[in-house]
Amino acid sequence: MARRGGRWTDRAGAALLCLGLAAGLSGCIGVPDAPRPQAQAAPAAEPAPAAAAGNVIGTGSVKVALIVPLSGQGAAVGSALRNAAELAYEDFQKPNLQILVKDDRGMPEGAREAAQAAFAEGAEMVLGPLFAGSVQAAGGAARAAGKPVIAFSTDAAVAARGVYLISFLPQSEVDRIVDEAASGGRRSFAALIPETTYGNAVEAQFREAVARRGARLVGIERYPAGNPSPAVERLRRVIAGGGAQADALFVPDTADGLVAVANALTKIGFSPSRVRPLGLALWNDPRVTAQPAFQGARFAAPDTAGFSSFAQRYHARFGATPPRTATLGYDAVSLTVALVRQYGSQRFADATLTNPAGFSGLDGTFRFSPEGTSERTLAVYEIRDNAATVVSPAPKVLGPSGI
């Protein structure tokens, strides 16, 4: 590697975005400056999952496992994660790494078997799995072997010491949007939260974030998925009319669910200019941004610039548009490469993986907590004229106590 203009680059020209870490070290993840010529010569069509599943990526001496569903439930996403891992490996010009690709069949027992097989073959770490149950199963095998896991599940409940989630966790999004709203003068929060696992996961974080900022929670209602009208009616006096007590309304739901919420809000005369709607990354959807009840709303989400560049290169290489989560596969491998290059025998130690300064990836800066969850720098978007526009860019670094 060589230093160019404040960045470390490898011979392929892939920039290593670096952050200063403790003890004068630095953590870096590769983000290519431009598509490489080899990528332009790739096949035009994406391989079928079976064809893309190759058992091994690379020939290096350091072995890690990539455990994803290449068959069964989640096979399309699993194949995209596998493709993204290969793209990262190629962007680093074949580093000293060997990735043992294992199919967990979308099932916990498959993940356990895959992890055990990978460790028997010399893997030092697991990247994946995707589903929460599979992460738990692979994590059990990893603990028995004394090896770490960097998983893709969004369920923070499966995080643990040695099992780190590189995924987009809604808890970071909740903190970011509440902090931004409070900084902008919003002091009285209400919430409409679906009775789903996702809703359960964010409610506690929302209550904590509001309390931490010294703001008030003036009303909160839960509703069955897809049927928000009764809950909206119960909250009417708090969020609608001239006597509205709230100045912000938090609604963490899927795009389909948000359309139903928007319709219910419109029926009670809700004014988004008086009570600002607040949301999470799932709001970044044309079905949501087109709703009159959400014009002026703000939501927290990763900056899209990194994904846009990645998606172009992925399409050139594999002939298809990647799912949003594919960047996780790329960043997991890029992180692995950086750790192998810089940390020697301590490359996958807990202290290395949980360095509080974190690492920089396609979707911004992130870090792992000792308990296995992750924090990310996130942008805040505002919905204007049926489109989402960044109003608060993602910070370059994470603060000492969170985002």
Side-chain angles (χ1 to χ4, degrees):
M1 294 185 291
R3 189 172 179 86
R4 299 178 186 170
R7 297 184 300 178
W8 289 97
T9 62
D10 62 14
R11 288 192 297 271
L16 299 180
L17 306 185
C18 301
L19 298 174
L21 301 185
L25 301 175
S26 62
C28 311
I29 286 186
V31 179
D33 294 325
R36 300 193 298 120
Q38 293 93 323
Q40 301 299 326
E46 183 172 21
N55 293 329
V56 178
I57 299 172
T59 58
S61 63
V62 178
K63 296 180 180 180
V64 299
L66 175 66
I67 300 176
V68 290
L70 298 172
S71 61
Q73 180 187 13
V77 175
S79 293
L81 288 166
R82 190 265 179 214
N83 289 344
E86 181 177 341
L87 187 60
Y89 180 85
E90 292 173 351
D91 283 340
F92 279 96
Q93 290 291 280
K94 301 177 175 56
N96 183 28
L97 187 66
Q98 187 175 157
I99 305 170
L100 311 176
V101 182
K102 304 291 185 181
D103 179 12
D104 66 15
R105 309 186 304 279
M107 302 169 64
E109 55 267 37
R112 182 182 299 105
E113 294 166 2
Q116 291 171 339
F119 295 138
E121 294 169 34
E124 299 181 26
M125 181 168 66
V126 166
L127 308 181
L130 175 62
F131 297 122
S134 297
V135 173
Q136 287 182 311
R143 280 190 292 274
K147 309 295 184 183
V149 174
I150 295 179
F152 305 131
S153 171
T154 58
D155 186 350
V158 300
R161 186 172 296 274
V163 179
Y164 306 103
L165 303 184
I166 197 173
S167 44
F168 306 118
L169 299 182
Q171 287 81 358
S172 287
E173 298 166 15
V174 172
D175 286 344
R176 177 70 164 113
I177 195 60
V178 171
D179 286 352
E180 193 276 340
S183 297
R186 307 284 165 168
R187 306 305 301 166
S188 299
F189 291 76
L192 287 163
I193 300 178
E195 294 173 346
T196 61
T197 301
Y198 183 78
N200 294 340
V202 300
E203 180 181 356
Q205 191 74 20
F206 172 69
R207 289 178 179 274
E208 179 183 321
V210 170
R212 186 178 64 249
R213 293 303 304 240
R216 295 188 303 148
L217 182 57
V218 296
I220 186 167
E221 291 289 344
R222 301 293 299 267
Y223 59 90
N227 184 28
S229 293
V232 170
E233 185 62 38
R234 292 193 299 270
L235 207 58
R236 176 198 286 262
R237 293 184 179 180
V238 175
I239 62 174
Q245 301 173 41
D247 54 21
L249 174 63
F250 176 62
V251 191
D253 206 343
T254 64
D256 287 338
L258 288 166
V259 171
V261 171
N263 291 335
L265 290 172
T266 298
K267 289 179 181 177
I268 67 165
F270 175 80
S271 171
S273 62
R274 181 184 296 272
V275 180
R276 171 169 285 162
L278 305 176
L280 308 181
L282 293 175
W283 281 55
N284 201 4
D285 186 293
R287 292 169 292 175
V288 179
T289 58
Q291 300 301 316
F294 294 149
Q295 300 306 304
R298 292 189 176 184
F299 62 87
D303 191 296
T304 59
F307 176 75
S308 297
S309 175
F310 164 80
Q312 292 175 0
R313 295 184 299 107
Y314 184 103
H315 191 278
R317 175 67 175 83
F318 299 105
T321 300
R324 184 64 184 85
T325 53
T327 53
L328 301 178
Y330 187 99
D331 279 356
V333 170
S334 298
L335 172 61
T336 302
V337 172
L339 297 179
V340 168
R341 286 179 171 176
Q342 296 187 46
Y343 293 93
S345 63
Q346 295 301 303
R347 51 187 169 249
F348 304 140
D350 286 342
T352 302
L353 292 169
T354 59
N355 194 299
F359 307 93
S360 181
L362 290 175
D363 294 302
T365 304
F366 65 92
R367 66 178 166 208
F368 300 121
S369 75
E371 295 75 32
T373 56
S374 61
E375 292 179 273
R376 286 183 173 271
T377 55
L378 300 164
V380 172
Y381 294 78
E382 182 171 297
I383 298 175
R384 303 172 182 168
D385 300 322
N386 304 327
T389 303
V390 174
V391 291
S392 178
K396 297 298 183 183
V397 298
L398 286 157
S401 60
I403 296 175

